[in-house]
Structures are given as C-alpha cells and as structure tokens.
Amino acid sequence: PAGFTRTPRGIFIFYITDQTDALLWGLDLDATLVHSQKLSSTLRASYLWAKQIRREDYFVGLPPPNLDYDLSFSPDVNWLDKMSVSLNARVVFEQHQHPRIIPVDDFLNAPQLDIDRFSGEAKDFDILAPPPAYVLFSMNLSVTRNKLTYYFAIDNLLNQSYRQYTDRLRYFADGLGRNYKMRIRYSF
C-alpha cells in the first residue's frame, strides 16, 4: 500500500507500483508415490524468498510457504469406464517475510502527531499483519461413462475460517467457506 484515501464511502487503501532491483529465489518440489495400482499420493511443496536490494526491505504480498498432499483412489467399477476419488490437505504457513506493519489508526493519526511514517529507508509497509497458518481439506470425485465425465468437488471441507496473504480482500473478509463444485464434460 502507498497510503489511504478518504472518500464519502469511507477510507480506502491505495497502491503505487514501482519497479526496483530485487533478489528472488524459489523452490518447488513435487513427489508422487504409487502405493498400488489403485492408490497413489502426491506431495507438493513451494517456497519463495525475495528481498529488495537497495532498500533492504521485503515485498508485500509474497506467497507464503505451502504444502499440498493428495491421496487418490481409483477403484474398478464394472459399469463405469473410470472413477477416481481424492482427498487433499493444503497447509499454508504464516508469511514471515513482510515489510513493517503500520496499523490504520497509527497511519491516520501520524500527521496530527507530526510523525513522518516515511522517514528512513524502509518506505514499504502493510496495514495488517500476515494471517496465521491454516490447513484446508478438499475432496474430489470424477466418474466417466461412455463420453460423459462427471466431476464433483468440495473445497474447504471443514469450513475453516482463513485469510490468504496474497489476497487483497484479506484486509476486509475471510476466504471462501465450504464450496461445492459440479461439472459435466462431454468428449466428442
């Protein structure tokens, strides 16, 4: 964020995007284990590190480290061409690489107290600390018969309350609750 602006509808955050020299490196790991002909599991991990070179400061909105684990089962059902059921656990860790936090009240009261929030080298800030770590579970089912494939999925199976660090709506609201999805695909 670059600051706040007051409008008749209330106070809103505004952003100014500028280029800078930065150092970035990341790591993506993916491993699949086939337990049997019908059962397999996949583990994925992701990590990103980035820092501004001139300012020696972190960026706002870098994705936090995360882990995904999928367990898939594909039974043989005589009257179906293919069937697959999978369970997924997604662990999103708290982001510790973030710029300084200036709460909204401190930022708005700074001019009255004659405080310059932009003195010094660290010009970047965020108004809300990164959300805590969370775990989300989901389930997927796909069934194929002839040329039709039916998909059914439930995301956030336990209806966990969470906020995603990379989502700008995290300042105002939690992420999606339990979400049901259904899809039908016809192959021709």
Side-chain angles (χ1 to χ4, degrees):
F4 301 93
T5 183
R6 288 188 172 143
T7 69
R9 290 179 44 214
I11 298 172
F12 293 94
I13 305 166
F14 70 89
Y15 294 85
I16 296 176
T17 304
D18 196 8
Q19 71 181 35
T20 186
D21 293 327
L23 182 61
L24 290 97
W25 69 268
L27 185 65
D28 287 324
L29 299 174
D30 191 327
T32 300
L33 179 62
V34 178
H35 303 284
S36 70
Q37 192 175 18
K38 297 178 185 179
L39 187 66
S40 66
S41 59
T42 303
L43 178 67
R44 287 179 296 280
S46 183
Y47 179 78
L48 176 67
W49 183 90
K51 195 168 189 178
Q52 298 180 43
I53 294 174
R54 277 187 256 143
R55 293 191 205 161
E56 293 281 324
D57 200 5
Y58 293 109
F59 291 100
V60 175
L62 287 177
N66 60 70
L67 289 173
D68 272 302
Y69 180 75
D70 289 314
L71 183 63
S72 297
F73 179 64
S74 300
D76 292 328
V77 180
N78 292 338
W79 53 278
L80 295 174
D81 296 336
K82 184 179 177 185
M83 179 178 177
S84 176
V85 178
S86 66
L87 294 174
N88 174 276
R90 180 174 180 83
V91 181
V92 178
F93 297 95
E94 184 174 346
Q95 178 59 278
H96 294 288
Q97 300 177 54
H98 59 82
R100 63 191 170 136
I101 306 299
I102 302 176
V104 176
D105 292 337
D106 288 358
F107 194 94
L108 294 176
N109 294 331
Q112 297 160 351
L113 301 172
D114 200 27
I115 298 172
D116 183 8
R117 289 289 178 195
F118 296 107
S119 63
E121 289 297 312
K123 303 238 184 258
D124 293 332
F125 69 95
D126 202 350
I127 60 168
L128 191 63
Y134 57 89
V135 179
L136 298 178
F137 294 95
S138 61
M139 184 213 67
N140 298 295
L141 170 69
S142 69
V143 175
T144 303
R145 181 175 168 118
N146 298 329
K147 294 183 176 189
L148 283 174
T149 303
Y150 303 91
Y151 297 96
F152 180 71
I154 303 174
D155 293 332
N156 196 358
L157 199 59
L158 303 177
N159 204 22
Q160 174 76 28
S161 177
Y162 69 97
R163 292 191 182 205
Q164 189 173 344
Y165 183 64
T166 55
D167 185 2
R168 288 188 180 169
L169 287 177
R170 77 179 170 96
Y171 298 115
F172 312 104
D174 288 342
L176 285 176
R178 188 176 298 125
N179 190 20
Y180 300 91
K181 295 186 277 189
M182 197 165 115
R183 214 171 44 162
I184 298 174
R185 185 179 78 186
Y186 178 74
S187 300
F188 53 92

